[in-house]
Amino acid sequence: MKTIIILLTVLLAGMGLSMEAGLLGPLGEEIGHFSATLSIFLVGGLLLTLALIFARPRLGQLFQQPRWLLTGGILGPVYVVVLTIATPFVGVGTTMIGILSGQVAASLAIDHFGLLGSERRAVDGYRLLALLLIIAALGLMQ
């Protein structure tokens, strides 16, 4: 049951990313791509700040972590800028399938080799077929 709830939550989060792309494209066209990206992170930062009021933050431990773990903060803004720029040109569907293709390809490599501290999970033919089908979907969408 726990796995089903987690998968449904992930599915809903994915739907939210598509909505974010749909909102960011027009916003970026109106106020500029970097301004639109900043607006998303400002709103998110405010919400997280409010959440930290009710949580037990462990920010003091943040800089005690290996520096390479902090590089993940670079990826979020890059992702949002790409969404903001690409969506008006190719549409939400094609943008999200492209993003998904990259996510699945990188995820399979991370799982297979146990990168970034994750547990090793061998990539089999089914997972490779799934990636190829997603890439085929990208071609069909375009």
Side-chain angles (χ1 to χ4, degrees):
M1 184 64 174
K2 180 180 177 181
T3 301
I4 292 172
I5 292 171
I6 289 172
L7 290 175
L8 288 173
T9 303
V10 169
L11 180 67
L12 290 172
M15 291 176 170
L17 289 176
S18 293
M19 291 176 60
E20 181 181 41
L23 295 167
L24 279 171
L27 184 61
E29 294 284 300
E30 291 295 320
I31 67 170
H33 303 300
F34 292 113
S35 296
T37 300
L38 179 62
S39 73
I40 292 299
F41 283 97
L42 286 175
V43 171
L46 288 172
L47 288 174
L48 286 172
T49 300
L50 289 174
L52 283 174
I53 291 171
F54 300 103
R56 291 188 192 144
R58 296 184 295 187
L59 295 177
Q61 297 175 0
L62 181 64
F63 294 106
Q64 297 171 1
Q65 304 305 309
R67 297 294 182 249
W68 66 270
L69 287 175
L70 302 179
T71 61
I74 298 168
L75 301 174
V78 170
Y79 167 78
V80 174
V81 168
V82 169
L83 282 183
T84 305
I85 293 170
T87 301
F89 290 103
V90 297
V92 175
T94 301
T95 299
M96 296 313 293
I97 291 291
I99 294 286
L100 179 63
S101 298
Q103 287 176 327
V104 171
S107 298
L108 290 179
I110 291 167
D111 278 350
H112 187 74
F113 296 108
L115 303 174
L116 306 175
S118 70
E119 184 179 323
R120 288 185 72 161
R121 291 179 175 84
V123 173
D124 58 16
Y126 291 112
R127 291 178 182 205
L128 288 175
L129 178 60
L131 174 60
L132 291 174
L133 290 172
I134 293 168
I135 292 170
L138 177 59
L140 291 171
M141 292 284 288
Q142 187 51 42

